[in-house]
Amino acid sequence: MGRPPCCDKGVKKGPWTPEEDIILVSYIQEHGPGNWRAVPTRTGLSRCSKSCRLRWTNYLRPGIKRGNFTEQEEKMIIHLQDLLGNRWAAIASYLPQRTDNDIKNYWNTHLRKKLNKLQAGCEGSLGEGFSASRQIPRGQWERRLQTDIQMAKQALSEALSPEKPSCLSASNSHPSDSSSSFSSSKPTQSLCYASSAENIARMLKGWMKNPPKSSRTNSSVTQNSFNNLAAAGADTASSGAKGVKGASSAELSENFESLFDFDQSLESSNSDQFSRSLSPEATVLQDESKPYIGAEIMPFSLLEKWLLDEAGCQEKVGCGDAKFF
DNA sequence: AATGGATGCAACCGCCGGACT
DNA sequence: GAGTCCGGCGGTTGCATCCAT
């Protein structure tokens, strides 16, 4: 018998509205993430605590990269999935800008099919190092595992290397100035940042300036309007929401202003304190205004540390032939 | 232009494990 | 040690959008 739902009565379900997002972000601005149980009561949101947490971690949390996965990210996911299985949270820890949900969705919708296709097409070339490993005898399996680990090490060191372009740096062409990267006149085509409070604030600003006309509602409203605004700029926010039903524009403005305060506090909170304790890629992420990066981006896991610790010497041994495909 | 299937993604559900009493 | 609470995780669903016919 499972536990009863944490809050099954009177909670709203379904897509989040922009107003709810603002309320949630404002609350987290003040109190920080955590204590999700208290969030619905304190904010007045008619949402389950889980729903609040999920909304934050999967969508509102700063530093989340949305949009197309890069080839490097794709390869990392494929390989990590092969190594770790469907442990999406673990996989996501290697791609701090992506949420586990995102990775899971991407795997289920894209990569699995892609791999099946490739495996069917060129049996052997792809099977090397992937799920085919599950069908080989133990001795070979162990060796395969070693190879996998070596490959993972190399992939990690490549991906996390600050000098090389990688999945982590791909979206951060201006690691030292992420805010300007967003507000620059031409957003990068495939990367839509809808997640940081800064971005949300900017989007909402545009959204309020140009109240959307179409009648689409709810989550797609939120997401699409945000994404579209992010991609097309506030001036061209034409797709999207039905408009603010509940909150007055003054209220929204107030919340909105506080979001900018949030931004400032974020910038100031991105202190050396974190920089010192974070890995290079996390430092990069910091530049994306991650207020709770210490809490949200876990430090290197043991495995990761181990992989990276040994990466140096293993590279010398020679796994130059290690590749994903 | 209409329509029906395919696709993508946000959100929900149920379970698990750690922390606390 | 047992019970409860809460956060987190992975699987799944529902729905909007896309695309081919």
Side-chain angles (χ1 to χ4, degrees), chain A residues 19 42 53 59 100-101 104 126 157 258 297 306:
Chain A
E19 304 94 84
R42 291 191 184 175
R53 182 180 60 81
Y59 198 82
D100 54 353
N101 207 36
K104 182 171 58 181
L126 176 68
S157 58
S258 69
I297 301 297
W306 171 65

Side-chain angles (χ1 to χ4, degrees), chain A residues 14-63:
Chain A
W16 282 65
T17 65
E19 304 94 84
E20 288 174 315
D21 284 342
I22 292 172
I23 291 169
L24 182 58
V25 171
S26 300
Y27 175 83
I28 293 173
Q29 166 196 353
E30 275 187 50
H31 302 90
N35 195 12
W36 295 109
R37 186 76 175 177
V39 172
T41 50
R42 291 191 184 175
T43 59
L45 285 170
S46 304
R47 289 281 180 174
C48 171
S49 58
K50 276 187 176 184
S51 185
C52 294
R53 182 180 60 81
L54 218 60
R55 182 64 179 169
W56 171 256
T57 55
N58 284 342
Y59 198 82
L60 298 173
R61 178 172 61 112

Side-chain angles (χ1 to χ4, degrees), chain A residues 24-305:
Chain A
L24 182 58
V25 171
S26 300
Y27 175 83
I28 293 173
Q29 166 196 353
E30 275 187 50
H31 302 90
N35 195 12
W36 295 109
R37 186 76 175 177
V39 172
T41 50
R42 291 191 184 175
T43 59
L45 285 170
S46 304
R47 289 281 180 174
C48 171
S49 58
K50 276 187 176 184
S51 185
C52 294
R53 182 180 60 81
L54 218 60
R55 182 64 179 169
W56 171 256
T57 55
N58 284 342
Y59 198 82
L60 298 173
R61 178 172 61 112
I64 297 175
K65 188 166 85 175
R66 308 200 71 80
N68 297 340
F69 280 69
T70 65
E71 198 177 339
Q72 183 101 14
E73 286 175 310
E74 204 171 277
K75 288 175 180 176
M76 272 193 85
I77 293 168
I78 290 170
H79 199 71
L80 287 167
Q81 202 278 340
D82 195 57
L83 282 174
L84 302 171
N86 291 356
R87 294 168 59 196
W88 305 116
I91 293 172
S93 70
Y94 291 86
L95 298 162
Q97 292 178 293
R98 301 291 188 179
T99 68
D100 54 353
N101 207 36
D102 233 10
I103 293 171
K104 182 171 58 181
N105 280 335
Y106 190 67
W107 174 266
N108 286 332
T109 56
H110 292 86
L111 296 179
R112 199 164 51 182
K113 291 172 196 167
K114 199 171 177 177
L115 282 179
N116 286 340
K117 204 173 171 183
L118 281 168
Q119 271 182 320
C122 46
E123 193 84 48
S125 64
L126 176 68
E128 189 76 15
F130 291 105
S131 51
S133 63
R134 293 184 190 100
Q135 298 158 5
I136 58 184
R138 182 185 165 85
Q140 286 181 35
W141 181 87
E142 285 177 348
R143 263 174 286 148
R144 178 66 44 77
L145 185 61
Q146 290 286 346
T147 309
D148 280 346
I149 290 168
Q150 283 191 349
M151 290 162 72
K153 286 172 188 170
Q154 194 185 22
L156 269 172
S157 58
E158 280 176 11
L160 303 181
S161 167
E163 291 89 23
K164 298 177 188 175
S166 70
C167 61
L168 294 170
S169 58
S171 61
N172 294 293
S173 53
H174 308 290
S176 62
D177 185 12
S178 68
S179 58
S180 69
S181 73
F182 181 84
S183 58
S184 64
S185 56
K186 198 165 186 177
T188 47
Q189 61 188 107
S190 63
L191 301 174
C192 299
Y193 291 80
S195 307
S196 75
E198 176 184 17
N199 294 341
I200 292 165
R202 289 178 199 279
M203 294 168 194
L204 288 172
K205 190 174 190 178
W207 179 66
M208 285 190 296
K209 274 185 191 168
N210 304 287
K213 306 173 192 94
S214 86
S215 61
R216 286 198 55 206
T217 54
N218 299 332
S219 107
S220 307
V221 169
T222 315
Q223 282 115 34
N224 288 342
S225 57
F226 283 178
N227 286 332
N228 290 340
L229 284 167
D235 293 337
T236 57
S238 58
S239 77
K242 191 168 190 169
V244 181
K245 294 186 287 282
S248 70
S249 110
E251 286 167 339
L252 280 174
S253 295
E254 208 173 341
N255 286 322
F256 173 67
E257 290 305 326
S258 69
L259 287 173
F260 279 113
D261 294 339
F262 186 31
D263 293 343
Q264 287 161 9
S265 68
L266 296 186
E267 283 173 21
S268 61
S269 73
N270 286 335
S271 59
D272 295 335
Q273 179 189 355
F274 281 135
S275 306
R276 282 192 294 271
S277 64
L278 288 172
S279 53
E281 81 282 7
T283 310
V284 170
L285 288 176
Q286 241 185 291
D287 295 326
E288 294 219 4
S289 303
K290 287 194 122 178
Y292 311 109
I293 192 161
E296 296 293 332
I297 301 297
M298 65 176 74
F300 283 111
S301 66
L302 286 176
L303 171 64
E304 191 172 4
K305 187 174 184 303

